[in-house]
Amino acid sequence: MRADRLVATLLLMQTRGRVTAAELASELEVSVATARRDLEALSAAGVPVYSQPGRGGGWMLLGGARTDLTGLTSAEVRALFLSAGPGSSVAPPVRSALRKLMQALPETFRADAQAAADAVVVDAAGWGERSREPAAHVGVLEDALVRRRKVALDYVGRDRRRRRRLVDPWGLVSKDDVWYLVAGTESGRRTFRADRIVAATVIDEPADQPADLDLASEWERVVESVEQRRSAVTATALAAAGVLPVLQSQFGRHCEVLDTLEDGRVRVRLRAHMARSIAEHTAGLGAAVEVLEPEEVRAELACLGRELVGQYGSD
């Protein structure tokens, strides 16, 4: 990550005019010796960096020289902060460099950069599902978020009906590679799966956002609400160790490992919105999974078994 530190160093010197090795070390969370080596490396590479010894001294850019790191277009700034802003999972040194870049950006770009950085949250915890197809309209939604404009959506719900919605975009969330749009509507906050958006058009009308909007906190409330609905039924099961990854993929965070038996099987706790759902996910694994309780899930498994025997069994 040394390149990130050198970029951050240049930008810090550009904005402050003069820095000491100790100040630089504190800002970049490295040792004073490392900060001094970085400054010397910049000078050796031909960057007009020089040191002024004595009281009140430090390191400066010769003649007020400025780097060309801010020769970015508005679109490039947005893309950079959308993909690696504070809401993402990039490494801390990169985030630190971006903070310095934010300070050095022209004033006309800074608002867009901050909006882009605040527009995306990354949630790595899965819900045991994957996107059916790439979310084609994420770029349009990002543009609307940065420009703070309303969006007209054509959206296909769970009932497979297509509806037109006019929304105020609040932010985008990437949850285990599935994109969601958090938005305000006439009915309050709503969450839309991006891969169910079949058309998105930015409307030249300012979007309304809560004055104190915190996208990360808003998403936590969405997750809490969804989790309550998805965990209405709990089952305990024994699973062969080899199929545990399959269960974890199917149930996501709703597959909890309790303990391991002497025969190598794993006791797990599974949760879903209804007993039938647990039965459908475990039936395909056959005898590799034995549901111990509750009886309603076992009854659903028996029902599925009878249906399969009736359709595929022979005399």
Side-chain angles (χ1 to χ4, degrees), residues 8 17-18 24 26 30 34 41 62 66 75 135-136 155 169 185 191 198 204 222 228 236-237 241-242 273 297 299:
R18 180 178 63 243
L24 189 61
S26 176
V30 296
T34 296
L62 183 62
R66 298 181 66 82
Y155 188 75
T185 72
T191 304
V198 295
D204 192 18
V222 172
Q228 289 177 351
T236 304
H273 63 294
V297 175

Side-chain angles (χ1 to χ4, degrees), residues 72-82 109 112:
L72 300 170
T73 67
S74 178
E76 289 169 339
V77 169
R78 294 181 189 180
L80 176 62
F81 281 85
L82 280 165
F109 285 4
D112 279 1

Side-chain angles (χ1 to χ4, degrees), residues 238-252:
L238 295 178
V243 302
L244 178 60
V246 179
L247 290 174
Q248 291 173 326
S249 175
Q250 291 176 331
F251 288 90

